[in-house]
Amino acid sequence: MFLSVFDIFKIGIGPSSSHTMGPMVAAGRFLNLIRDGDWPRPAGVEPARIAVSLHGSLAFTGKGHGSDRAILLGLMGESPRDIDPFRIDEIIAEVHETGMVTPAGHPAYQFNPGNDLVFDFETPLPGHANGMRFSAFAADGRRLVQQIYYSVGGGFVVTDEELARTSADDSPVTDTSPVPYPFASAREMLAMGESSGLSIAEMKEANEIARGQERQGLVSGVERIWDEMRASVERGLSGEGDLPGGLGVRRRARELHDRLQHESGANALQPHRVMDWLSVYAMAVNEENAAGGKIVTAPTNGAAGVVPAVVHYYLDHCIGASREGVRTFILTAAAIGGIIKHNASISGAEVGCQGEVGSASAMAAAGLAAALGAANAQIENAAEIALEHHLGMTCDPIAGLVQVPCIERNALGAVKAVTAASLAMRGTGDHFVPLDKCIETMRQTGRDMHEKYKETSKGGLAVNVIEC
């Protein structure tokens, strides 16, 4: 089983990997399909109009998560990785004004957002809670081609055919090409580490290189991931005012950061102040995400603040911290994230926030333990402790916005990650609940969780905060 570090950590824009990045990627895939795909093409007839419908969680919380805007951007040929966030409003305004999308390398297609983009609250698609149906029509109204896509979390997108071809035991986004350490579970990961004498990060690096990455390219790519994470923290710490969406949620990270810096010269400081630093870094990223800024999925947008906050903690507060330690952190975190995605889910619409912040906390705990020199068994234990204490967490964003409780939830996920790493490193690695059993418990819990608690904003805080 192989899922690249660059699949788990993807550069994109907020506020949601499944509801913003996913629809944008799906729109790009559909553009490629209508131009280059193998589908029956009537002689002399070309696509002239595109229509899109959003289903399930994408319908219920798509407005708050920017799914409609993402579709427009994707149909204009933009990608989450490369888009300039400062041009987003200009691009969207152009589509609304002209009723056309004009992606590079294509003819112009009719697309009137008021008519051609439908939020279908009544018809869930069978494959996943995040479903989209794209259609292209001829000038005379004939439908020429249709494709269903599912946004399965973390910015991953699959077609209905790809999902159907996947067995219950395989991930639709997992590369099955040979690698030297093809662990699909934590048990296999620990066994391969013991037999090889390698750390989790070293096995992950060997797998990446076997799949075509030169080592220097891998090092540079991982360093870019951290550079982008750090930049998102810095942007978040400079932001002020209310977040978009109408809730009136005020950005707090800058004010909290300024106060922490001001207190640094004090003679007496509370020992728990370090938790405030963790929190402010996590909140900075998720405020930037909520504002539609550029962030790194870790493993999702809604949970993007946990890993950067814990890496900051490592660099700012841990003895012997280094850039090499950061690379070890990120490679290890990616290995844990890949196992969770392969065996359960990182999608809030599928398993609730346990799959987002819970997974992020497990990844961060493992990464921190690895960077601090923990043994593989201690690293696996750290991930299990962090994930176990997120089990059952619902995804209930107020007003469908990735703001409340999402921003503070990242702060607490980061705190739990540090605590989990510390507890694991105080032990020998022996523990009662294996990480694999905890992941399976998360999968079962998500399966049994009522849909109103899975990113639909139909339950939990989303309905009990009456002001919203």
Side-chain angles (χ1 to χ4, degrees), residues 236-283:
L237 292 177
S238 66
E240 294 183 288
D242 289 350
L243 292 169
L247 277 185
V249 174
R250 184 170 58 87
R251 297 178 72 140
R252 292 181 288 162
R254 177 172 181 168
E255 178 184 347
L256 291 173
H257 184 253
D258 289 346
R259 290 170 61 186
L260 285 168
Q261 286 187 313
H262 179 72
E263 293 168 3
S264 294
N267 291 327
L269 296 172
Q270 293 288 0
H272 57 257
R273 181 171 174 272
V274 68
M275 299 296 104
D276 295 335
W277 282 106
L278 266 171
S279 297
V280 78
Y281 288 136
M283 291 171 64

Side-chain angles (χ1 to χ4, degrees), residues 350-368:
E350 195 169 6
V351 296
C353 199
Q354 59 176 350
E356 296 205 35
V357 171
S359 296
S361 187
M363 291 163 58
L368 177 61

